[in-house]
Coordinates of all heavy atoms in Angstrom, one line a residue:
M16 N -4.5 36.8 -11.6 CA -5.4 36.5 -12.8 C -4.8 37.2 -14.0 O -4.2 38.3 -13.9 CB -6.8 37.0 -12.5 CG -7.5 36.3 -11.4 SD -9.2 36.8 -11.3 CE -9.0 38.6 -10.8
K17 N -5.0 36.6 -15.2 CA -4.5 37.1 -16.4 C -5.5 37.1 -17.5 O -6.2 36.0 -17.6 CB -3.2 36.3 -16.9 CG -2.1 36.3 -16.0 CD -1.3 37.7 -16.0 CE 0.0 37.6 -15.2 NZ 0.6 38.9 -15.1
R18 N -5.7 38.2 -18.2 CA -6.6 38.1 -19.4 C -5.9 37.4 -20.5 O -4.8 37.7 -20.9 CB -7.0 39.6 -19.8 CG -8.1 39.6 -20.8 CD -8.5 41.0 -21.1 NE -7.5 41.7 -21.8 CZ -7.5 43.0 -22.0 NH1 -8.5 43.7 -21.6 NH2 -6.5 43.6 -22.6
L19 N -6.7 36.5 -21.1 CA -6.1 35.7 -22.2 C -6.6 36.1 -23.5 O -5.8 36.2 -24.5 CB -6.5 34.2 -21.9 CG -5.9 33.2 -22.8 CD1 -4.4 33.1 -22.6 CD2 -6.4 31.8 -22.5
V20 N -7.9 36.3 -23.6 CA -8.5 36.6 -24.9 C -9.6 37.7 -24.8 O -10.3 37.7 -23.8 CB -9.1 35.3 -25.5 CG1 -10.0 35.7 -26.7 CG2 -8.1 34.3 -25.9
T21 N -9.6 38.6 -25.7 CA -10.8 39.5 -25.8 C -11.4 39.3 -27.2 O -10.7 39.3 -28.2 CB -10.4 41.0 -25.7 OG1 -9.8 41.1 -24.4 CG2 -11.6 41.8 -25.8
H22 N -12.7 39.0 -27.3 CA -13.3 38.7 -28.6 C -14.7 39.2 -28.6 O -15.4 39.1 -27.6 CB -13.2 37.2 -28.9 CG -13.4 36.8 -30.3 ND1 -14.7 36.7 -30.9 CD2 -12.6 36.6 -31.3 CE1 -14.6 36.4 -32.2 NE2 -13.3 36.4 -32.5
E23 N -15.2 39.6 -29.7 CA -16.5 40.2 -29.8 C -17.6 39.1 -29.7 O -18.7 39.4 -29.4 CB -16.7 41.0 -31.1 CG -16.5 40.1 -32.3 CD -16.4 40.9 -33.6 OE1 -16.2 42.1 -33.5 OE2 -16.5 40.3 -34.7
S24 N -17.2 37.9 -30.0 CA -18.2 36.8 -29.9 C -18.2 36.1 -28.6 O -17.2 35.4 -28.3 CB -18.0 35.8 -31.1 OG -18.7 34.6 -30.8
L25 N -19.3 36.2 -27.8 CA -19.3 35.5 -26.6 C -19.3 34.0 -26.8 O -18.7 33.2 -26.0 CB -20.6 35.9 -25.8 CG -20.8 35.2 -24.4 CD1 -19.6 35.5 -23.5 CD2 -22.1 35.7 -23.8
A26 N -19.9 33.5 -27.9 CA -19.9 32.1 -28.2 C -18.5 31.6 -28.4 O -18.2 30.5 -27.9 CB -20.8 31.8 -29.4
Y27 N -17.7 32.4 -29.1 CA -16.3 32.0 -29.3 C -15.5 31.9 -28.0 O -14.8 30.9 -27.7 CB -15.7 33.0 -30.3 CG -14.2 32.7 -30.6 CD1 -13.9 31.6 -31.4 CD2 -13.2 33.5 -30.0 CE1 -12.5 31.4 -31.7 CE2 -11.9 33.2 -30.3 CZ -11.5 32.2 -31.2 OH -10.2 32.0 -31.4
V28 N -15.7 32.9 -27.2 CA -15.0 33.0 -25.9 C -15.5 31.8 -25.0 O -14.6 31.1 -24.4 CB -15.3 34.3 -25.2 CG1 -14.7 34.3 -23.8 CG2 -14.7 35.4 -26.0
G29 N -16.8 31.5 -25.1 CA -17.3 30.3 -24.3 C -16.7 29.0 -24.8 O -16.4 28.1 -24.0
H30 N -16.5 28.9 -26.1 CA -15.9 27.7 -26.7 C -14.5 27.6 -26.2 O -14.1 26.5 -25.8 CB -15.9 27.9 -28.3 CG -15.2 26.8 -29.0 ND1 -15.5 25.5 -29.0 CD2 -14.0 26.9 -29.7 CE1 -14.7 24.8 -29.7 NE2 -13.8 25.6 -30.2
L31 N -13.7 28.7 -26.2 CA -12.3 28.6 -25.7 C -12.3 28.2 -24.2 O -11.4 27.4 -23.8 CB -11.6 29.9 -25.9 CG -11.5 30.4 -27.4 CD1 -10.7 31.7 -27.5 CD2 -10.8 29.3 -28.2
K32 N -13.2 28.7 -23.5 CA -13.3 28.4 -22.1 C -13.5 26.9 -21.9 O -12.9 26.3 -21.0 CB -14.4 29.2 -21.4 CG -14.7 28.9 -19.9 CD -15.7 29.9 -19.4 CE -15.9 29.6 -17.9 NZ -16.8 28.4 -17.6
N33 N -14.4 26.3 -22.7 CA -14.6 24.9 -22.6 C -13.3 24.1 -22.9 O -13.0 23.1 -22.2 CB -15.7 24.4 -23.6 CG -17.1 24.9 -23.1 OD1 -17.3 25.1 -21.9 ND2 -18.0 25.0 -24.0
L34 N -12.6 24.6 -23.9 CA -11.3 23.9 -24.2 C -10.3 23.9 -23.1 O -9.7 22.9 -22.8 CB -10.7 24.5 -25.5 CG -11.5 24.3 -26.8 CD1 -10.9 25.1 -27.9 CD2 -11.6 22.8 -27.1
L35 N -10.3 25.1 -22.4 CA -9.3 25.2 -21.3 C -9.7 24.4 -20.2 O -8.9 23.7 -19.5 CB -9.2 26.7 -20.9 CG -8.6 27.7 -21.9 CD1 -8.5 29.1 -21.3 CD2 -7.3 27.2 -22.4
E36 N -11.0 24.3 -19.9 CA -11.5 23.5 -18.8 C -11.3 22.0 -19.0 O -11.1 21.3 -18.1 CB -13.0 23.8 -18.5 CG -13.2 25.2 -17.9 CD -14.6 25.6 -17.7 OE1 -15.5 25.0 -18.4 OE2 -14.9 26.4 -16.9
Q37 N -11.3 21.6 -20.3 CA -11.0 20.3 -20.6 C -9.5 20.0 -20.3 O -9.1 18.8 -20.1 CB -11.3 20.0 -22.1 CG -12.8 19.8 -22.4 CD -13.1 19.8 -23.9 OE1 -12.2 19.6 -24.7 NE2 -14.3 20.0 -24.2
S38 N -8.7 21.0 -20.3 CA -7.3 20.9 -20.0 C -7.0 21.2 -18.5 O -5.9 21.4 -18.1 CB -6.4 21.8 -20.9 OG -6.6 21.5 -22.2
A39 N -8.1 21.2 -17.7 CA -8.0 21.4 -16.3 C -7.4 22.8 -16.0 O -6.7 23.0 -15.0 CB -7.2 20.3 -15.6
I40 N -7.7 23.8 -16.8 CA -7.3 25.2 -16.5 C -8.5 25.9 -16.1 O -9.5 26.0 -16.7 CB -6.7 25.8 -17.8 CG1 -5.4 25.0 -18.2 CG2 -6.4 27.3 -17.6 CD1 -4.9 25.5 -19.6
T41 N -8.4 26.5 -14.9 CA -9.5 27.3 -14.3 C -9.5 28.6 -14.9 O -8.5 29.4 -15.0 CB -9.3 27.4 -12.8 OG1 -9.1 26.1 -12.2 CG2 -10.5 28.1 -12.2
C42 N -10.7 29.0 -15.5 CA -10.8 30.2 -16.2 C -12.3 30.7 -16.1 O -13.1 30.0 -15.6 CB -10.4 30.1 -17.7 SG -11.4 28.8 -18.5
F43 N -12.5 32.0 -16.4 CA -13.8 32.5 -16.3 C -13.9 33.6 -17.4 O -12.9 34.1 -18.0 CB -14.1 33.1 -14.9 CG -13.2 34.2 -14.5 CD1 -13.6 35.5 -14.7 CD2 -11.9 34.0 -14.0 CE1 -12.7 36.6 -14.3 CE2 -11.1 35.0 -13.6 CZ -11.5 36.3 -13.8
I44 N -15.2 34.0 -17.6 CA -15.5 35.0 -18.7 C -15.9 36.3 -18.0 O -16.8 36.3 -17.1 CB -16.6 34.5 -19.6 CG1 -16.1 33.3 -20.4 CG2 -17.0 35.6 -20.6 CD1 -17.1 32.7 -21.3
R45 N -15.4 37.4 -18.4 CA -15.8 38.7 -18.0 C -16.6 39.4 -19.1 O -16.4 39.1 -20.3 CB -14.7 39.6 -17.6 CG -14.1 39.4 -16.2 CD -13.1 40.4 -15.8 NE -13.7 41.8 -15.9 CZ -12.9 42.9 -15.9 NH1 -11.7 42.8 -15.7 NH2 -13.5 44.1 -16.0
N46 N -17.5 40.2 -18.7 CA -18.3 41.0 -19.7 C -19.2 40.0 -20.5 O -19.3 40.2 -21.8 CB -17.4 41.8 -20.7 CG -16.7 42.9 -19.9 OD1 -17.1 43.3 -18.8 ND2 -15.6 43.3 -20.5
D47 N -19.7 39.0 -19.9 CA -20.6 38.1 -20.6 C -22.0 38.6 -20.7 O -22.9 38.0 -21.2 CB -20.6 36.7 -20.1 CG -21.0 36.6 -18.6 OD1 -21.1 37.7 -18.0 OD2 -21.1 35.5 -18.1
Q48 N -22.3 39.8 -20.1 CA -23.6 40.4 -20.1 C -23.4 41.7 -21.0 O -23.2 42.8 -20.4 CB -24.1 40.7 -18.7 CG -24.2 39.5 -17.8 CD -25.3 38.6 -18.3 OE1 -26.3 39.0 -18.9 NE2 -25.1 37.3 -18.0
L49 N -23.6 41.6 -22.3 CA -23.4 42.7 -23.1 C -24.5 43.8 -23.0 O -24.4 44.9 -23.5 CB -23.3 42.3 -24.6 CG -21.9 41.7 -25.0 CD1 -22.0 41.2 -26.4 CD2 -20.8 42.7 -24.8
S50 N -25.6 43.4 -22.4 CA -26.8 44.3 -22.4 C -26.6 45.4 -21.4 O -27.2 46.5 -21.5 CB -28.0 43.5 -22.1 OG -27.9 42.8 -20.8
G51 N -25.8 45.2 -20.4 CA -25.7 46.2 -19.3 C -24.5 47.2 -19.6 O -23.5 46.8 -20.0
G52 N -24.7 48.4 -19.3 CA -23.6 49.4 -19.3 C -23.3 50.0 -20.6 O -22.5 50.9 -20.6
L53 N -23.9 49.5 -21.7 CA -23.5 50.1 -23.0 C -24.0 51.6 -22.9 O -25.1 51.9 -22.5 CB -24.3 49.4 -24.1 CG -23.6 48.0 -24.5 CD1 -24.4 47.4 -25.6 CD2 -22.2 48.2 -24.9
G54 N -23.2 52.5 -23.5 CA -23.5 53.9 -23.5 C -22.8 54.6 -22.3 O -22.6 55.8 -22.4
E55 N -22.4 53.8 -21.3 CA -21.8 54.5 -20.2 C -20.3 54.3 -20.3 O -19.5 55.1 -19.8 CB -22.3 53.9 -18.9 CG -23.8 54.1 -18.7 CD -24.3 53.4 -17.4 OE1 -23.5 53.0 -16.6 OE2 -25.5 53.3 -17.3
I56 N -19.9 53.1 -20.8 CA -18.4 52.9 -20.9 C -18.1 52.5 -22.4 O -19.0 52.1 -23.1 CB -18.0 51.7 -20.0 CG1 -19.0 50.6 -20.1 CG2 -17.8 52.2 -18.6 CD1 -18.6 49.4 -19.2
P57 N -16.9 52.8 -22.8 CA -16.6 52.5 -24.2 C -16.9 51.1 -24.6 O -16.7 50.1 -23.8 CB -15.1 52.7 -24.2 CG -14.8 53.7 -23.1 CD -15.8 53.3 -22.1
F58 N -17.4 50.8 -25.8 CA -17.8 49.5 -26.2 C -16.8 48.5 -26.1 O -17.0 47.4 -25.7 CB -18.3 49.6 -27.7 CG -18.8 48.3 -28.2 CD1 -19.9 47.7 -27.7 CD2 -18.0 47.6 -29.2 CE1 -20.3 46.4 -28.2 CE2 -18.5 46.4 -29.7 CZ -19.6 45.8 -29.2
L59 N -15.5 48.9 -26.3 CA -14.4 47.9 -26.3 C -14.3 47.3 -24.9 O -14.0 46.1 -24.7 CB -13.1 48.5 -26.7 CG -12.0 47.6 -27.1 CD1 -12.4 46.8 -28.3 CD2 -10.7 48.4 -27.4
D60 N -14.7 48.0 -23.9 CA -14.6 47.5 -22.5 C -15.7 46.5 -22.2 O -15.7 45.9 -21.2 CB -14.7 48.7 -21.5 CG -13.4 49.5 -21.5 OD1 -12.4 49.0 -22.1 OD2 -13.4 50.6 -20.9
C61 N -16.7 46.4 -23.1 CA -17.8 45.5 -22.9 C -17.6 44.2 -23.6 O -18.4 43.3 -23.5 CB -19.1 46.2 -23.4 SG -19.5 47.7 -22.6
L62 N -16.6 44.1 -24.4 CA -16.4 42.8 -25.1 C -16.1 41.7 -24.1 O -15.4 41.9 -23.1 CB -15.2 42.9 -26.1 CG -15.4 43.9 -27.3 CD1 -14.2 43.9 -28.1 CD2 -16.6 43.4 -28.1
P63 N -16.6 40.5 -24.5 CA -16.3 39.3 -23.6 C -14.8 39.1 -23.5 O -14.1 39.2 -24.5 CB -17.0 38.2 -24.3 CG -18.0 38.8 -25.1 CD -17.5 40.1 -25.6
E64 N -14.4 38.8 -22.3 CA -12.9 38.5 -22.1 C -12.8 37.2 -21.4 O -13.6 36.8 -20.5 CB -12.3 39.6 -21.2 CG -12.4 41.0 -21.8 CD -11.9 42.0 -20.8 OE1 -11.8 41.7 -19.6 OE2 -11.5 43.1 -21.2
L65 N -11.8 36.4 -21.8 CA -11.5 35.2 -21.1 C -10.3 35.3 -20.2 O -9.2 35.8 -20.7 CB -11.3 34.1 -22.2 CG -11.0 32.7 -21.6 CD1 -12.2 32.2 -20.8 CD2 -10.8 31.7 -22.8
W66 N -10.4 35.0 -19.0 CA -9.3 35.2 -18.0 C -9.0 33.8 -17.4 O -9.8 33.0 -17.2 CB -9.8 36.1 -16.8 CG -10.0 37.5 -17.2 CD1 -10.9 38.0 -18.1 CD2 -9.2 38.6 -16.7 NE1 -10.7 39.4 -18.1 CE2 -9.7 39.8 -17.3 CE3 -8.1 38.7 -15.8 CZ2 -9.2 41.1 -17.0 CZ3 -7.6 40.0 -15.5 CH2 -8.1 41.1 -16.1
V67 N -7.7 33.6 -17.2 CA -7.3 32.5 -16.4 C -7.1 32.9 -14.9 O -6.6 34.0 -14.6 CB -5.9 31.9 -16.9 CG1 -6.1 31.2 -18.3 CG2 -4.8 32.9 -17.0
T68 N -7.6 32.0 -14.1 CA -7.6 32.4 -12.6 C -6.2 32.4 -12.0 O -5.9 33.3 -11.3 CB -8.5 31.4 -11.9 OG1 -9.8 31.3 -12.5 CG2 -8.6 31.7 -10.4
R69 N -5.4 31.4 -12.4 CA -4.1 31.3 -11.8 C -3.0 31.8 -12.9 O -3.0 31.2 -14.0 CB -3.8 29.9 -11.4 CG -4.7 29.5 -10.2 CD -4.4 28.0 -9.8 NE -4.7 27.1 -11.0 CZ -4.4 25.8 -10.9 NH1 -3.9 25.3 -9.9 NH2 -4.7 25.1 -12.0
D70 N -2.2 32.7 -12.5 CA -1.2 33.2 -13.4 C -0.3 32.1 -14.0 O 0.1 32.1 -15.2 CB -0.3 34.2 -12.7 CG -1.0 35.5 -12.4 OD1 -2.2 35.5 -12.6 OD2 -0.4 36.4 -11.9
E71 N 0.0 31.1 -13.2 CA 0.9 30.0 -13.6 C 0.2 29.2 -14.7 O 0.9 28.4 -15.4 CB 1.3 29.1 -12.5 CG 0.2 28.5 -11.7 CD -0.3 29.3 -10.5 OE1 -0.3 30.5 -10.6 OE2 -0.6 28.6 -9.5
D72 N -1.1 29.3 -14.9 CA -1.8 28.6 -16.0 C -1.7 29.3 -17.3 O -2.1 28.7 -18.4 CB -3.2 28.3 -15.6 CG -3.4 27.2 -14.6 OD1 -2.5 26.4 -14.5 OD2 -4.5 27.1 -14.0
L73 N -1.2 30.5 -17.3 CA -1.3 31.3 -18.5 C -0.6 30.7 -19.7 O -1.1 30.6 -20.8 CB -0.8 32.8 -18.3 CG -0.9 33.7 -19.5 CD1 -2.4 33.9 -19.8 CD2 -0.3 35.1 -19.2
A74 N 0.6 30.3 -19.5 CA 1.5 29.8 -20.6 C 0.8 28.5 -21.1 O 0.8 28.3 -22.4 CB 2.9 29.4 -20.1
R75 N 0.3 27.7 -20.2 CA -0.4 26.4 -20.7 C -1.6 26.8 -21.5 O -2.0 26.1 -22.5 CB -0.7 25.5 -19.5 CG -0.8 24.1 -19.9 CD -0.5 23.2 -18.7 NE -1.4 23.5 -17.5 CZ -2.5 22.8 -17.3 NH1 -2.9 21.9 -18.1 NH2 -3.2 23.1 -16.3
A76 N -2.4 27.8 -21.0 CA -3.6 28.2 -21.7 C -3.3 28.7 -23.1 O -4.0 28.4 -24.0 CB -4.3 29.2 -20.8
E77 N -2.2 29.5 -23.2 CA -1.9 30.0 -24.5 C -1.5 28.9 -25.4 O -1.7 28.9 -26.6 CB -0.7 31.0 -24.4 CG -1.2 32.3 -23.7 CD -0.1 33.3 -23.5 OE1 1.0 32.9 -23.4 OE2 -0.4 34.6 -23.5
A78 N -0.8 27.8 -24.9 CA -0.4 26.7 -25.7 C -1.6 26.0 -26.2 O -1.7 25.5 -27.3 CB 0.5 25.8 -24.8
V79 N -2.7 25.8 -25.3 CA -3.9 25.1 -25.7 C -4.6 25.9 -26.8 O -4.9 25.3 -27.9 CB -4.9 25.0 -24.5 CG1 -6.2 24.5 -25.0 CG2 -4.3 24.0 -23.5
L80 N -4.7 27.2 -26.7 CA -5.3 28.0 -27.7 C -4.5 28.1 -29.0 O -5.0 28.1 -30.1 CB -5.6 29.4 -27.2 CG -6.5 29.5 -26.0 CD1 -6.9 31.0 -25.7 CD2 -7.7 28.7 -26.1
G81 N -3.2 28.1 -28.8 CA -2.3 28.1 -30.0 C -2.5 26.8 -30.8 O -2.5 26.8 -32.0
A82 N -2.6 25.7 -30.1 CA -2.8 24.4 -30.7 C -4.2 24.4 -31.5 O -4.3 23.8 -32.6 CB -2.8 23.3 -29.7
V83 N -5.2 25.1 -30.9 CA -6.5 25.1 -31.6 C -6.3 25.9 -32.9 O -6.8 25.5 -33.9 CB -7.5 25.8 -30.7 CG1 -8.8 26.1 -31.4 CG2 -7.8 24.9 -29.5
K84 N -5.7 27.1 -32.8 CA -5.6 27.9 -34.0 C -4.7 27.3 -35.1 O -5.0 27.5 -36.3 CB -4.9 29.3 -33.6 CG -5.8 30.1 -32.8 CD -5.1 31.4 -32.3 CE -5.9 32.2 -31.3 NZ -5.1 33.2 -30.6
N85 N -3.7 26.5 -34.7 CA -2.8 25.9 -35.6 C -3.2 24.5 -36.0 O -2.5 23.8 -36.7 CB -1.4 25.9 -35.1 CG -0.9 27.3 -34.9 OD1 -1.2 28.2 -35.6 ND2 -0.1 27.5 -33.8
A86 N -4.4 24.0 -35.6 CA -4.8 22.6 -35.8 C -5.0 22.5 -37.4 O -5.4 23.4 -38.0 CB -6.1 22.3 -35.1
P87 N -4.6 21.3 -37.9 CA -4.8 21.1 -39.3 C -6.3 21.2 -39.6 O -7.1 20.8 -38.8 CB -4.3 19.6 -39.5 CG -4.2 19.0 -38.1 CD -4.0 20.2 -37.2
A88 N -6.6 21.6 -40.8 CA -8.0 21.9 -41.2 C -8.7 20.6 -41.6 O -9.3 20.5 -42.6 CB -8.0 22.9 -42.3
E89 N -8.6 19.6 -40.7 CA -9.1 18.3 -41.1 C -10.7 18.3 -41.0 O -11.3 17.3 -41.5 CB -8.6 17.2 -40.2 CG -8.9 17.5 -38.7 CD -8.1 16.5 -37.8 OE1 -7.4 15.6 -38.4 OE2 -8.2 16.7 -36.6
C90 N -11.2 19.3 -40.4 CA -12.7 19.3 -40.3 C -13.3 20.2 -41.4 O -14.5 20.4 -41.5 CB -13.1 19.8 -39.0 SG -12.8 18.6 -37.7
E91 N -12.5 20.8 -42.3 CA -13.0 21.6 -43.4 C -13.6 20.7 -44.4 O -13.1 19.6 -44.7 CB -11.9 22.4 -44.0 CG -11.6 23.7 -43.2 CD -10.6 24.6 -44.0 OE1 -10.4 24.3 -45.2 OE2 -10.1 25.5 -43.4
E92 N -14.7 21.2 -45.0 CA -15.3 20.4 -46.0 C -14.5 20.5 -47.3 O -13.7 21.4 -47.5 CB -16.7 21.0 -46.4 CG -17.8 20.6 -45.4 CD -19.2 21.0 -45.9 OE1 -19.3 21.6 -47.0 OE2 -20.1 20.7 -45.2
W93 N -14.5 19.4 -48.1 CA -13.8 19.4 -49.3 C -14.8 18.9 -50.4 O -15.8 18.3 -50.1 CB -12.6 18.6 -49.3 CG -12.8 17.1 -48.9 CD1 -12.9 16.7 -47.6 CD2 -13.0 16.0 -49.7 NE1 -13.1 15.3 -47.6 CE2 -13.2 14.9 -48.9 CE3 -13.0 15.8 -51.1 CZ2 -13.4 13.6 -49.4 CZ3 -13.2 14.5 -51.6 CH2 -13.4 13.4 -50.7
R94 N -14.6 19.3 -51.6 CA -15.5 19.0 -52.7 C -14.9 17.9 -53.6 O -13.8 18.0 -54.0 CB -15.9 20.2 -53.5 CG -17.0 20.0 -54.5 CD -17.5 21.3 -55.1 NE -18.1 22.1 -54.1 CZ -19.4 21.9 -53.7 NH1 -20.1 21.0 -54.3 NH2 -19.9 22.7 -52.8
C95 N -15.7 16.8 -53.8 CA -15.2 15.7 -54.6 C -15.0 16.2 -56.1 O -15.9 16.9 -56.6 CB -16.2 14.6 -54.6 SG -15.8 13.2 -55.7
T96 N -13.9 15.9 -56.6 CA -13.6 16.4 -58.0 C -14.3 15.4 -59.0 O -14.3 15.8 -60.2 CB -12.1 16.4 -58.2 OG1 -11.5 15.1 -57.8 CG2 -11.4 17.5 -57.4
L97 N -14.8 14.3 -58.6 CA -15.4 13.4 -59.5 C -16.9 13.7 -59.7 O -17.4 13.7 -60.8 CB -15.2 11.9 -59.0 CG -13.7 11.5 -59.0 CD1 -13.6 10.1 -58.5 CD2 -13.1 11.6 -60.4
C98 N -17.6 13.8 -58.5 CA -19.0 14.0 -58.6 C -19.5 15.3 -58.1 O -20.7 15.7 -58.2 CB -19.7 12.9 -57.9 SG -19.6 13.0 -56.1
G99 N -18.6 16.1 -57.5 CA -19.0 17.4 -57.1 C -19.6 17.5 -55.7 O -20.0 18.6 -55.3
E100 N -19.7 16.3 -55.1 CA -20.4 16.3 -53.8 C -19.4 16.9 -52.7 O -18.2 16.7 -52.8 CB -20.7 14.8 -53.4 CG -21.6 14.7 -52.2 CD -22.9 15.3 -52.4 OE1 -23.6 15.0 -53.4 OE2 -23.3 16.1 -51.5
S101 N -20.0 17.7 -51.8 CA -19.2 18.2 -50.7 C -19.2 17.2 -49.6 O -20.2 16.5 -49.3 CB -19.7 19.5 -50.2 OG -21.0 19.4 -49.7
N102 N -18.0 17.0 -49.0 CA -17.8 16.0 -47.9 C -17.3 16.6 -46.7 O -16.5 17.6 -46.7 CB -16.8 14.9 -48.4 CG -17.3 14.1 -49.6 OD1 -18.0 13.1 -49.4 ND2 -17.1 14.6 -50.8
E103 N -17.6 16.0 -45.5 CA -17.1 16.4 -44.3 C -15.6 16.1 -44.3 O -15.1 15.1 -44.9 CB -17.7 15.6 -43.1 CG -19.2 15.8 -43.0 CD -19.6 17.1 -42.4 OE1 -18.8 17.6 -41.6 OE2 -20.7 17.7 -42.7
G104 N -14.8 16.9 -43.5 CA -13.4 16.8 -43.5 C -12.8 15.5 -43.0 O -11.7 15.1 -43.4
Q105 N -13.6 14.8 -42.1 CA -13.1 13.6 -41.6 C -13.1 12.4 -42.5 O -12.5 11.4 -42.3 CB -13.8 13.2 -40.3 CG -15.2 12.8 -40.4 CD -16.1 14.0 -40.1 OE1 -15.8 15.1 -40.5 NE2 -17.3 13.7 -39.6
F106 N -13.9 12.6 -43.7 CA -13.9 11.5 -44.6 C -12.8 11.7 -45.7 O -12.8 12.7 -46.3 CB -15.3 11.5 -45.3 CG -16.4 11.3 -44.4 CD1 -17.4 12.2 -44.2 CD2 -16.5 10.1 -43.6 CE1 -18.5 12.1 -43.3 CE2 -17.6 9.9 -42.7 CZ -18.5 10.9 -42.6
A107 N -12.0 10.6 -45.8 CA -10.9 10.7 -46.8 C -11.5 10.4 -48.2 O -10.9 10.9 -49.2 CB -9.8 9.7 -46.4
L108 N -12.6 9.7 -48.3 CA -13.1 9.3 -49.5 C -14.5 9.9 -49.7 O -15.2 10.1 -48.7 CB -13.2 7.8 -49.7 CG -11.9 7.0 -49.7 CD1 -12.2 5.5 -49.8 CD2 -11.0 7.5 -50.8
C109 N -14.9 10.2 -50.9 CA -16.2 10.8 -51.1 C -17.3 9.8 -50.7 O -17.3 8.6 -51.1 CB -16.4 11.1 -52.6 SG -18.0 11.7 -53.1
W110 N -18.3 10.3 -49.9 CA -19.3 9.3 -49.4 C -20.3 9.0 -50.5 O -21.0 8.0 -50.5 CB -20.0 9.9 -48.2 CG -20.8 11.2 -48.5 CD1 -20.4 12.4 -48.4 CD2 -22.2 11.2 -49.0 NE1 -21.4 13.3 -48.8 CE2 -22.5 12.6 -49.2 CE3 -23.2 10.3 -49.3 CZ2 -23.8 13.0 -49.6 CZ3 -24.4 10.7 -49.7 CH2 -24.7 12.1 -49.9
Q111 N -20.3 9.9 -51.6 CA -21.2 9.7 -52.7 C -20.7 8.7 -53.7 O -21.4 7.8 -54.1 CB -21.4 11.1 -53.3 CG -22.3 11.0 -54.6 CD -23.8 11.1 -54.3 OE1 -24.2 10.7 -53.2 NE2 -24.6 11.4 -55.2
C112 N -19.5 8.8 -54.1 CA -19.0 8.0 -55.2 C -17.7 7.2 -54.8 O -17.2 6.4 -55.6 CB -18.7 8.8 -56.5 SG -17.3 9.9 -56.3
G113 N -17.2 7.4 -53.6 CA -16.0 6.7 -53.2 C -14.7 7.2 -53.7 O -13.6 6.7 -53.5
G114 N -14.8 8.4 -54.5 CA -13.6 8.9 -55.0 C -12.8 9.7 -54.0 O -13.3 10.1 -53.0
A115 N -11.5 9.8 -54.2 CA -10.6 10.5 -53.3 C -10.5 12.0 -53.8 O -10.9 12.3 -54.9 CB -9.2 9.9 -53.2
D116 N -10.0 12.8 -53.0 CA -9.9 14.2 -53.3 C -8.7 14.5 -54.2 O -7.7 15.1 -53.7 CB -9.9 15.1 -52.1 CG -9.9 16.6 -52.4 OD1 -10.4 16.9 -53.5 OD2 -9.4 17.4 -51.6
I117 N -8.7 14.0 -55.4 CA -7.6 14.1 -56.3 C -8.0 15.0 -57.5 O -9.0 14.7 -58.1 CB -7.1 12.7 -56.8 CG1 -6.7 11.9 -55.6 CG2 -5.9 12.9 -57.8 CD1 -6.4 10.4 -56.0
P118 N -7.3 16.1 -57.7 CA -7.6 16.9 -58.8 C -7.6 16.2 -60.1 O -6.7 15.4 -60.4 CB -6.5 18.0 -58.8 CG -6.0 18.0 -57.4 CD -6.1 16.6 -57.0
V119 N -8.6 16.4 -60.9 CA -8.8 15.7 -62.2 C -8.0 16.5 -63.3 O -8.1 17.7 -63.3 CB -10.2 15.6 -62.6 CG1 -10.4 14.9 -64.0 CG2 -11.0 14.8 -61.6
G120 N -7.3 15.8 -64.1 CA -6.6 16.4 -65.2 C -5.3 17.0 -64.7 O -4.8 17.9 -65.3
Ligands
LIG30 ZN1 -17.7 11.9 -55.3

């Protein structure tokens, strides 16, 4: 077993776990119960950790997570320069006025 990620957000670690499982990588979360043991062991040891079960999956798992981190920001919102409306990243044109995200002037 190999530890892949340590992160303070259990939701984030759970999200990564879902991504790995979609890639058929067996993994599990340690320290998903933050309520127990605090005060007895250093806080850092209580952070959620994502582990891959099989060592041979580690490289592939890192590749999956690397692809996530380096993914183009196509889901980021952008603001229409014509009408000022904010748009979801998957829309190339403003849903409000049909304008593209082209700087004015
Ligand atoms: Zn617009």
